[in-house]
Amino acid sequence: MRFSVSTHGTPQSYGLLFPESGIPLVQAASDPAHFRQRLQSLRQEERQAIQWAMVRHPVHEGILAETDLYSTLNSRLADGVRLDPDEWTKVRDLSSALGRLPPVPGEYLRVDEYPDLAAIPWGTTIQVGDLVTNHPCFMNTAPDDSYAKWVVGGYTRSAQPYALAFCRIGSATSGVPLWSNVDARPGDPFVVLFPRDACFQVKGIARAQAAGQVFPAMRIGVVLEQVVGGQPLRNLHSGEPVRVRAPW
């Protein structure tokens, strides 16, 4: 398997191109018991919002799927679909809850998919040094590389010219861990959810174009560092300009 590779910024981006070789991530310790205690201190509406955002069932060992409600609402936010008052209430309650639950500082991994190679913003509309955000969506990330390894294995058996982007988020300060149930114990799999207004600076971009009939046809490694905020901002999936406004 051969690739034509280009890197910009920190060379650490190169190490994200091939998760088969492992992507080490380090976080502070997470405590499900502390999470449950803080969860009980929320308003009822906030607790309900967290419960519908919590992942429910495993896709494979260590990987959890999003709930239908959370996935649908996040997709509507991404597509710019007008939300009804009840949906906006859920968005506000989830945003409020994430602000009151304990984050776990550290490093996390985001895997993004691009069915259309022409739509990839990394290295084109998004460059090293730019500020990006997941706004207007909430954003799931993983505390390890198990999903990245799994999805690469799936795509190598496909026949689609997809691209996969592996984004490592460093210095993360606002990611909140969510388990599949409130009875989780230390060591149980979880995802980390970032609020809609999280901002990151691009530290490095690597692009690997496959030679021949190899899938995914392109891999992108991106090193991000969470920052307080700033302007101008671009959406980290599309590269489109974004302005974060409150209330969210």
Side-chain angles (χ1 to χ4, degrees):
M1 188 181 300
R2 295 180 299 164
F3 294 88
S4 174
V5 179
S6 62
T7 60
H8 303 275
T10 174
Q12 295 176 3
S13 59
Y14 179 86
L16 303 175
L17 294 172
F18 306 102
E20 304 95 318
S21 299
I23 299 175
L25 300 168
V26 178
Q27 305 99 28
S30 59
D31 184 357
H34 186 212
F35 173 82
R36 288 193 294 270
Q37 184 180 27
R38 292 286 290 273
L39 185 66
Q40 293 306 311
S41 70
L42 302 182
R43 293 184 293 109
Q44 180 179 355
E45 294 82 5
E46 292 171 329
R47 290 198 302 272
Q48 290 175 340
I50 288 294
Q51 288 168 358
W52 62 254
M54 290 173 70
V55 290
R56 298 298 186 191
H57 61 278
V59 174
H60 87 118
E61 184 180 0
I63 302 303
L64 300 160
E66 299 171 349
T67 63
D68 290 340
L69 179 57
Y70 169 81
S71 180
T72 299
L73 186 56
N74 226 24
S75 294
R76 290 169 67 85
L77 288 169
D79 295 339
V81 177
R82 186 180 182 87
L83 303 185
D84 62 37
D86 180 63
E87 290 172 327
W88 269 122
T89 296
K90 288 182 170 63
V91 169
R92 287 193 294 268
D93 287 338
L94 181 54
S95 294
S96 175
L98 290 176
R100 298 180 61 192
L101 288 171
V104 176
E107 300 172 327
Y108 297 98
L109 192 63
R110 166 80 177 175
V111 180
D112 225 340
E113 303 177 10
Y114 292 93
D116 181 3
L117 300 183
I120 300 168
W122 302 106
T124 54
T125 55
I126 299 178
Q127 299 287 344
V128 172
D130 286 351
L131 297 176
V132 296
T133 177
N134 49 293
H135 192 84
C137 304
F138 301 98
M139 184 174 72
N140 276 1
T141 62
D144 58 40
D145 60 3
S146 58
Y147 177 70
K149 290 177 177 177
W150 179 74
V151 76
V152 164
Y155 276 91
T156 56
R157 293 187 294 272
S158 75
Q160 300 295 325
Y162 279 65
L164 293 174
F166 306 100
C167 303
R168 192 192 73 195
I169 299 171
S171 303
T173 57
S174 64
V176 175
L178 299 180
W179 286 267
S180 58
N181 61 75
V182 295
D183 297 322
R185 298 180 179 181
D188 284 355
F190 63 93
V191 298
V192 171
L193 188 63
F194 282 82
R196 300 176 65 219
D197 60 341
C199 297
F200 314 91
Q201 186 172 41
V202 182
K203 295 295 186 178
I205 300 172
R207 291 165 62 104
Q209 178 72 52
Q213 296 297 310
V214 177
F215 304 101
M218 179 176 286
R219 303 178 182 208
I220 303 103
V222 180
V223 177
L224 301 174
E225 184 173 294
Q226 187 165 12
V227 295
V228 174
Q231 293 289 340
L233 287 166
R234 291 186 178 274
N235 179 272
L236 57 71
H237 176 75
S238 68
E240 293 295 321
V242 173
R243 187 171 182 84
V244 178
R245 297 183 177 91
W248 302 303

